[in-house]
Amino acid sequence: MTKEQVIVTAAQMRDIEGRIFAAGMPVAALMEKVAGLISDSFARRRQRLQAIIPQGQRVGILVGPGHNGGDALVVARELHFRGYQVWIYQPFPKLKELTSQHFQYAQSLGIPCFQELDKLPNCDFLIDGLFGFGLEREITDTFAAAINYFNDWNKPIFSIDLPSGLHTDTGEVLGTAIRATHTFCLGLWKQGLLQEQALEYIGQAELIDFDIPLADIHAVLGEVPKIKRITKTTVIQTLPLPRSPITHKYKAGHLLLICGSKRYAGGAILTGLGARASGIGMLSIAVPESIKPLLVSHLPEALIIGCPETETGAISNLELPEKTDLSSFTAIACGPGLTKDATPIVEQVINSEVPLILDADALNIVAQLGTISTLQKRQTTTVLTPHTGEFHRLFPDINYTDRVKAVQTAASQTGAVVLLKGARTAISNPQGVVWINSESTPALARGGSGDVLTGLMGGLLAQVVNKQVNIEDVVATAAWWHSQAGILAAAERTELGVDAFTLTQYLMRVLLDI
Ligand SMILES: NC(=O)C1=CN([C@@H]2O[C@H](COP(=O)(O)OP(=O)(O)OC[C@H]3O[C@@H](n4cnc5c(N)ncnc54)[C@H](O)[C@@H]3O)[C@@H](O)[C@H]2O)[C@H](O)CC1
Ligand SMILES: [K+]
């Protein structure tokens, strides 16, 4: 485990810091260390920012009543000595002792301090030290008015630990919140910063590591923390690389995709291209007979199985090649483009013993059949990959604003690994172990990119399912791979240039860089 993977709640951070203080680290010393690291990072960033904001170096420091404010005051002092023109806004009647001492010292240095908004000078940047993980309740009155006032200034705002006003664990806005350009998250990633609803407030997030001993992290979070960020470390451990020099196509997995319809042939092609990019040894794709020629032309290496179809052009019956049945495959991925007329097919794969990924229309069909009753029958690997709409249809009683809790609940109810798609995709296994994909791109918000993920994930699962891997690690690796390809493509083609087919062409590029 690396610190970049760890995610904490406010309570866990308080416990971890409490252990550090109990071991003898003075709070004031930690505050000095943290604020020094922030000032260094800010100064390094200034070189880059100077290009964007060349004029002056006037910094407004927003100081809250707790140690977040204390951090900000130490940063104010350090930037003052580094030649910035610093002023302080501190409207609180009562400050914590350490914060109060730093405030007093800043005033003794002649740093202008203000209590009223209308007296504030102009500035080039703001540093937000109003609230950190100690925010306990909704921000109201003067403090809410101040936050809204600073948001309206449209200046770059650097938030310390969290944008003030965000709930540390859920990322919810408590009344109002600073819209940060950049967030310096202190020590360990706070869970709220990885929640979708926080994204528009965080700006670019950076972890300021202040050498928290791993022993203290394990003491509070356990040997293997339950909730982690997906990083390259996980991916490298999970990918079927390097390949054995003596492997052959039958040892590199045999995936069956069941997808497509006369109406949605493209979904089947994109799913197939995603699977191809996974490196899968053998790929079979069951589609309605009428679109078989299309698939063959796009995926000559795949075995395309033309199935009987309903009059609406959906698969009516899985007509597998002779001497094969579902157990001939190491994994099945089912759903993209199926339409809701393929219910018997979905029931058939659910009743099989084969590791199974359900996506798109397969999920809508499961929702219609009754999610829990349908899936509880299965005793083998099942993965669900809903977007929020499909998630709501599958689990109408689960509130998904806190996406971590939502996927944990859905996974424990169904016994499946559940991936909830979004800007911060969350994945849980039935035991509540959660991965969060903390890097993605809005470029992926397009029809078809989910089909690519299903194929990629199916191909990866088919290659590793018989090895000692955690299924949630495989799902997390596919999600990371998929979003990194989107990020790479967007960097070269802008966020408007990543159609699903293009995305499939970037998947392999990602692995070249790890
Ligand atoms: N734990 C430590 O000693 C260190 C923490 N670090 C930094 O400090 C904050 C956590 O500090 P804490 O004092 O616990 O809380 P905050 O600074 O976030 O401030 C909360 C403060 O404000 C009061 N409060 C809470 N909600 C409201 C509200 N809605 N309206 C008004 N006032 C409110 C509450 O009573 C607290 O006193 C952490 O984020 C780090 O930035 C250091 O980095 C290391 C030492
Ligand atoms: K803050």
Side-chain angles (χ1 to χ4, degrees):
M1 178 200 77
T2 64
K3 282 182 199 160
E4 275 285 341
Q5 285 181 319
V6 177
I7 298 172
V8 287
T9 60
Q12 291 165 337
M13 191 66 191
R14 202 165 285 114
D15 289 350
I16 289 168
E17 289 197 350
R19 289 178 58 87
I20 295 169
F21 302 139
M25 175 65 156
V27 177
L30 185 57
M31 193 170 278
E32 286 298 325
K33 180 181 178 91
V34 164
L37 291 165
I38 294 171
S39 309
D40 291 347
S41 179
F42 187 81
R44 268 200 313 278
R45 189 165 303 282
R46 179 187 52 156
Q47 269 93 44
R48 280 181 245 156
L49 274 168
Q50 275 310 78
I52 312 164
I53 312 171
Q55 82 279 14
Q57 300 162 2
R58 297 164 299 173
V59 191
I61 310 272
L62 315 179
V63 172
H67 289 167
N68 199 243
D71 285 347
L73 285 164
V74 177
V75 172
R77 181 195 73 208
E78 290 308 301
L79 295 184
H80 169 75
F81 287 129
R82 295 184 195 198
Y84 286 81
Q85 299 168 48
V86 175
W87 52 258
I88 289 168
Y89 169 71
Q90 196 293 91
F92 296 86
K94 197 172 168 333
L95 304 178
K96 278 189 171 178
E97 178 53 31
L98 190 51
T99 307
S100 175
Q101 288 168 1
H102 282 299
F103 184 54
Q104 193 187 336
Y105 185 61
Q107 289 172 300
S108 77
L109 292 175
I111 298 175
C113 296
F114 302 88
Q115 302 245 321
E116 282 84 42
L117 292 172
D118 56 2
K119 301 253 184 336
L120 295 178
N122 198 349
C123 70
D124 299 302
F125 311 92
L126 289 165
I127 292 183
D128 157 32
L130 292 170
F131 300 107
F133 68 66
L135 185 67
E136 296 139 351
R137 56 191 184 281
E138 193 143 305
I139 298 177
T140 54
D141 312 324
T142 327
F143 314 137
I147 286 176
N148 295 333
Y149 180 84
F150 290 116
N151 281 339
D152 292 346
W153 262 14
N154 281 325
K155 302 276 182 188
I157 304 180
F158 293 77
S159 283
I160 295 176
D161 213 9
L162 297 118
S164 298
L166 285 194
H167 189 290
T168 308
D169 303 351
T170 65
E172 280 166 88
V173 173
L174 296 180
T176 185
I178 287 281
R179 289 178 181 277
T181 323
H182 191 97
T183 297
F184 295 109
C185 183
L186 305 183
L188 298 169
W189 287 106
K190 306 305 181 295
Q191 189 170 291
L193 296 180
L194 292 142
Q195 299 271 18
E196 193 125 319
Q197 55 201 350
L199 285 190
E200 57 184 314
Y201 293 87
I202 301 169
Q204 203 196 352
E206 169 185 350
L207 185 67
I208 300 281
D209 181 357
F210 57 81
D211 304 321
I212 298 174
L214 283 174
D216 290 317
I217 298 172
H218 288 308
V220 173
L221 299 185
E223 264 323 291
V224 181
K226 281 194 101 168
I227 303 173
K228 292 181 286 187
R229 286 169 79 250
I230 306 169
T231 62
K232 269 186 194 176
T233 313
T234 320
V235 169
I236 290 166
Q237 287 160 357
T238 312
L239 285 172
L241 287 174
R243 275 194 157 178
S244 151
I246 54 165
T247 195
H248 53 75
K249 66 182 178 182
Y250 294 107
K251 281 190 76 173
H254 191 174
L255 171 67
L256 172 62
L257 293 178
I258 305 172
C259 49
S261 56
K262 202 182 280 179
R263 203 181 320 159
Y264 301 118
I269 294 168
L270 291 167
T271 310
L273 292 172
R276 168 197 277 176
S278 74
I280 184 69
M282 289 290 289
L283 175 59
S284 295
I285 310 178
V287 294
E289 180 61 39
S290 57
I291 65 169
K292 174 174 178 177
L294 258 176
L295 272 288
V296 172
S297 65
H298 281 83
L299 291 135
E301 78 284 353
L303 174 65
I304 310 301
I305 304 165
C307 299
E309 52 192 274
T310 65
E311 70 284 354
T312 59
I315 301 175
S316 62
N317 178 26
L318 268 184
E319 213 156 69
L320 299 175
E322 57 188 285
K323 298 200 190 67
T324 56
D325 61 28
L326 290 180
S327 63
S328 316
F329 302 97
T330 33
I332 299 172
C334 173
L338 271 190
T339 80
K340 288 203 186 146
D341 298 338
T343 300
I345 307 303
V346 173
E347 290 176 307
Q348 186 180 345
V349 295
I350 285 174
N351 294 330
S352 77
E353 293 297 308
V354 182
L356 173 64
I357 295 170
L358 296 172
D359 183 37
D361 286 325
L363 294 174
N364 294 327
I365 288 169
V366 166
Q368 270 177 345
L369 294 170
T371 308
I372 313 296
S373 55
T374 306
L375 293 175
Q376 261 176 351
K377 294 175 210 159
R378 278 184 63 85
Q379 300 306 317
T380 185
T381 297
T382 308
V383 179
L384 310 180
T385 58
H387 55 54
T388 40
E390 290 155 347
F391 186 92
H392 188 60
R393 282 191 284 277
L394 285 164
F395 308 100
D397 304 331
I398 298 179
N399 172 332
Y400 54 81
T401 42
D402 182 340
R403 299 159 64 82
V404 171
K405 281 200 172 45
V407 283
Q408 286 178 317
T409 308
S412 69
Q413 284 181 358
T414 55
V417 170
V418 179
L419 175 148
L420 174 54
K421 288 174 189 168
R424 290 294 176 268
T425 289
I427 297 152
S428 179
N429 75 2
Q431 292 71 42
V433 173
V434 170
W435 285 111
I436 294 180
N437 188 31
S438 58
E439 274 185 311
S440 190
T441 166
L444 288 174
R446 292 180 73 156
S449 68
D451 301 337
V452 174
L453 176 61
T454 300
L456 180 71
M457 192 183 294
L460 195 54
L461 183 65
Q463 293 178 72
V464 300
V465 70
N466 295 328
K467 302 186 173 95
Q468 297 308 318
V469 286
N470 299 319
I471 300 304
E472 65 276 9
D473 294 2
V474 179
V475 173
T477 295
W480 181 92
W481 189 350
H482 181 260
S483 58
Q484 289 298 319
I487 291 166
L488 203 54
E492 292 182 3
R493 301 166 57 95
T494 83
E495 289 175 356
L496 304 179
V498 189
D499 58 276
F501 176 80
T502 299
L503 177 65
T504 64
Q505 308 308 301
Y506 277 80
L507 287 167
M508 208 36 72
R509 294 262 307 266
V510 169
L511 299 196
L512 294 171
D513 299 340
I514 64 169

